Amino acid sequence: MSDSLFPDQQPANVHHLRVGEIIVTTLMDAYMQGSLELIQHVDASRAETLQAQSLRPNPPRITLNAYLLHIGDQRVLVDTGFGALADGEGARLSQGLADIGVLPDAIDAVLVTHLHPDHIGGLITSDDQPAFANARILVPGEELDFWQQQAPADASDMFAQQFDVAHRVLEINRDRIERIDGDQVMDGVTRVALPGHTPGHSGYLIESGSDRLLLWGDIVHLPHIQLPEPNAGVLFDVDGERAVATRKDILVRVAKEKLMVAGHHLDFPGIGHIVEDTQGYRFLPHVWSPTP
C-alpha cells in the first residue's frame, strides 16, 4: 500500500502499523468508567494493590479501541466500538475514520470479535440504520447461536441488556450478516477461537510476509491487574472459568512465540508484546509515533 494514502502527521487518536503489506490502524474509541468490583477470582485487596501500584485512578477507566485493516484495496474494521450506544464523553471511532479520510461507505467488511455492546454499537446509527451500509459483517458462529437466543429468565439486568443490544444490532444489519465457522476468514486473516468471555469470543491473526499480529479482543479489560494475575476475570465473562483458562493459554503462546498482540482494552495504541514477569505477565507497548 502506498504511503501517499496516509497523512504526513497522524492524529493523536489514530495509530498506523505495518504488518508486512497490511496496514493495521488503531482507532481509540472511548474510555469506559469501570470499577474494581468488576474483578473476579482474586482478593479485592490484591486488585486494589495492583491498581495503586500502576499509579492509576480508582475507580479505573477502561480503554476501548477498534482496529482498521487495509488489506490490498479492502478496508476491514475489527469491531466498531460503542457508536450510537455511547453516553458521557461519547465514542470517537467515526471521528478517527474521518480524520484519516475513510468514509463509512468505504468500509468493505467488519470482523466481530464478540457481540458485547462496546464492540458492536458502532454498527448502527442513532436512528437505527446500518452505520456501514456497504460492509459485510462477519460474526463467529458460536456468537450468533448464543446471542440470538432469548436472555435466560434469571439473567441480571446487565446480561439481559447485552442480549437486547445484540438482537437490535443483528436485526438492523440482518441482510449483511455472515457466519464464520472455520478459521480462514480472508487473505491474511485467520480466526483464533478464544472462548470464555463469550461463547464465540474470537481473535484474528494478521499475517503478511514474515510479520504477524494477533488482535486478541477482550483477553484482558484491566491489563495492569489481569496480566500479573491471569486468574482475575471480569463480572461480564459469560463463562469465567473458561475465560481464565483461555487467557492463560494465549498468554503462554504469545510470550513463547514473541507474537505481537493488539487488544481492544489495552492502553492506546493497544499494540505490543507480552513477557513473563514474576508470577504473571506484563505488557511491553509498541511506541506511538506522530508519523506512520
Side-chain angles (χ1 to χ4, degrees):
M1 176 170 292
S2 170
D3 290 330
S4 65
L5 293 178
F6 296 100
D8 291 335
Q9 300 289 315
Q10 55 185 343
N13 62 328
V14 172
H15 174 268
H16 301 301
L17 177 72
R18 285 190 177 276
V19 179
E21 295 301 314
I22 297 173
I23 304 294
V24 179
T25 300
T26 309
L27 298 155
M28 201 282 285
D29 184 60
Y31 286 113
M32 302 181 291
Q33 186 61 61
S35 166
L36 291 185
E37 292 179 1
L38 295 173
I39 293 294
Q40 308 286 294
H41 315 310
V42 297
D43 291 340
S45 60
R46 175 62 172 157
E48 291 171 0
T49 296
L50 289 169
Q51 182 73 12
Q53 289 176 345
S54 72
L55 302 181
R56 296 166 186 264
N58 187 6
R61 301 179 82 196
I62 301 174
T63 299
L64 175 59
N65 301 313
Y67 294 89
L68 175 68
L69 311 178
H70 290 79
I71 305 174
D73 61 356
Q74 296 287 298
R75 292 177 173 85
V76 181
L77 276 174
V78 182
D79 291 349
T80 61
F82 262 123
L85 305 180
D87 54 16
E89 66 182 39
R92 297 182 175 90
L93 177 92
S94 60
Q95 184 59 54
L97 289 171
D99 287 343
I100 58 174
V102 177
L103 298 175
D105 287 351
I107 300 299
D108 298 290
V110 177
L111 300 181
V112 174
T113 62
H114 63 298
L115 290 169
H116 273 164
D118 55 319
H119 294 260
I120 61 171
L123 284 170
I124 61 175
T125 65
S126 58
D127 57 350
D128 278 359
Q129 297 299 311
F132 303 104
N134 296 323
R136 304 155 54 211
I137 301 171
L138 286 70
V139 185
E142 299 93 334
E143 283 295 281
L144 290 173
D145 291 343
F146 183 77
W147 294 104
Q148 285 179 324
Q149 303 176 89
Q150 295 302 311
D154 60 350
S156 66
D157 290 345
M158 178 192 69
F159 200 26
Q161 183 185 42
Q162 291 172 347
F163 274 93
D164 289 344
V165 168
H167 290 173
R168 175 183 170 192
V169 171
L170 291 173
E171 174 61 22
I172 291 168
N173 289 282
R174 63 185 179 279
D175 295 334
R176 288 170 300 107
I177 300 292
E178 298 183 19
R179 181 185 180 98
I180 302 174
D181 284 316
D183 295 333
Q184 191 61 38
V185 178
M186 58 183 66
D187 287 345
V189 182
T190 304
R191 178 194 171 204
V192 179
L194 298 170
H197 179 53
T198 63
H201 178 251
S202 298
Y204 295 100
L205 181 63
I206 313 304
E207 298 180 279
S208 178
S210 61
D211 294 342
R212 298 189 303 159
L213 171 70
L214 175 63
L215 304 179
W216 74 3
D218 282 15
I219 289 296
V220 296
H221 291 77
L222 293 169
H224 50 288
I225 294 175
Q226 292 177 283
L227 291 178
E229 286 285 356
N231 283 322
V234 289
L235 183 63
F236 28 84
D237 287 336
V238 173
D239 184 337
E241 290 187 6
R242 196 173 190 191
V244 168
T246 292
R247 179 163 44 257
K248 290 180 175 179
D249 287 346
I250 201 64
L251 287 172
V252 169
R253 176 185 172 185
V254 299
K256 180 179 180 181
E257 297 181 12
K258 296 182 172 60
L259 176 58
M260 185 175 278
V261 301
H264 289 78
H265 299 298
L266 293 173
D267 292 333
F268 181 86
I271 295 175
H273 286 90
I274 300 295
V275 294
E276 292 186 22
D277 185 33
T278 60
Q279 72 182 64
Y281 298 84
R282 60 190 171 98
F283 177 62
L284 302 179
H286 175 78
V287 178
W288 183 89
S289 169
T291 55

